């Protein structure tokens, strides 16, 4: 279990490092996407090194659940966490996806009609479908022709805003 904890801690350190380095590069108008590979491969090397050192030092320990030797699982955990973060980092949630844009617009203005919402997009059919999905998820509600954000959708919009500000991406709303 200690190896799993170490892998999670190294991953969190890698995410923080990635955000800091990415923001520094963006300030100087340098594309920061390559930092992902550099930071997370460095993190993987650090993770493997720490686990190797600890596994060599833990051979004489008495067995308990905490000292369970999960070397392979912990390295797989780090890799899966890094890939998951990559998917999020490169996902449309970071860009202007219809879902994030709708949630941010409704969070900012409280209530908007479908016509007002679709005026921010070029594909009305896509947005009408997305509005229906967001209502079905319980993230927004529709009363008559007005839409408003529900607490769950407001929380998700807050996470999107926090992440966009943290990584230095501009917000439209």
């Amino acid at each position: 279990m200690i190896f799993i904890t170490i892998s999670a801690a190294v991953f969190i350190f890698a995410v923080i490092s990635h955000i800091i380095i990415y923001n520094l590069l963006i300030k100087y108008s340098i594309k920061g996407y390559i930092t992902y590979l550099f930071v997370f491969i460095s993190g993987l090397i650090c993770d493997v090194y720490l686990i190797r050192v600890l596994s060599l030092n833990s051979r004489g320990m008495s067995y308990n659940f905490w000292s369970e030797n999960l070397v392979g699982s912990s390295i797989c955990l780090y890799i899966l966490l890094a890939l998951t973060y990559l998917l999020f980092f490169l996902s449309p949630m970071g860009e202007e996806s219809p879902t994030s844009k709708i949630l941010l617009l409704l969070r900012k203005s409280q209530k908007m009609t479908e016509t007002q919402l679709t005026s921010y997009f070029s594909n009305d059919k896509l947005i009408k479908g997305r509005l229906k999905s967001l209502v079905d998820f319980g993230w927004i509600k529709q009363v008559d022709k007005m839409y408003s954000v529900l607490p769950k959708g407001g929380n998700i919009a807050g996470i999107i805003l926090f992440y966009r500000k943290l990584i230095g991406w501009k917000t439209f709303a």
Side-chain angles (χ1 to χ4, degrees):
M1 285 302 290
I2 194 164
F3 298 126
I4 298 285
T5 305
I6 288 170
S7 289
V10 169
F11 171 75
I12 290 169
F13 180 74
V15 168
I16 292 167
S17 299
H18 178 248
I19 290 170
I20 292 168
I21 293 169
Y22 180 84
N23 282 332
L24 287 173
L25 291 176
I26 293 299
K27 282 183 183 178
Y28 298 107
S29 299
I30 300 171
K31 296 276 184 196
Y33 296 111
I34 195 70
T35 62
Y36 179 85
L37 287 175
F38 172 74
V39 169
F40 287 96
I41 289 174
S42 299
L44 178 62
I45 292 167
C46 179
D47 188 42
V48 170
Y49 175 77
L50 288 172
I51 289 169
R52 173 122 171 89
V53 168
L54 281 173
S55 67
L56 291 174
N57 291 336
S58 67
R59 290 189 182 177
M61 293 173 56
S62 62
Y63 176 79
N64 64 37
F65 185 68
W66 181 250
S67 66
E68 179 67 32
N69 202 350
L70 300 171
V71 174
S73 297
S74 62
I75 293 169
C76 286
L77 174 69
Y78 179 86
I79 292 168
L80 290 174
L81 287 172
L83 290 173
T84 303
Y85 181 75
L86 174 67
L87 289 174
F88 182 75
F89 180 70
L90 297 177
S91 77
M93 293 296 273
E95 299 295 324
E96 291 185 347
S97 74
T99 298
S100 61
K101 195 168 187 176
I102 290 168
L103 289 172
L104 293 172
L105 287 168
L106 288 174
R107 185 172 190 233
K108 183 178 180 185
S109 65
Q110 300 299 317
K111 290 186 178 192
M112 296 177 81
T113 65
E114 187 174 296
T115 305
Q116 290 170 318
L117 285 167
T118 56
S119 70
Y120 285 90
F121 302 93
S122 59
N123 187 341
D124 288 351
K125 186 176 180 182
L126 171 73
I127 301 312
K128 288 177 183 178
R130 190 60 53 98
L131 286 170
K132 183 183 178 324
S133 296
L134 291 173
V135 169
D136 293 343
F137 289 152
W139 294 1
I140 65 173
K141 69 177 179 179
Q142 179 183 15
V143 177
D144 297 324
K145 292 188 177 211
M146 299 295 287
Y147 291 90
S148 59
V149 69
L150 293 171
K152 186 193 272 185
N155 291 338
I156 292 167
I159 291 168
I160 293 167
L161 275 175
F162 174 76
Y163 180 73
R164 289 177 70 98
K165 286 179 184 175
L166 189 65
I167 205 78
W169 287 339
K170 292 182 174 49
T171 57
F172 53 86

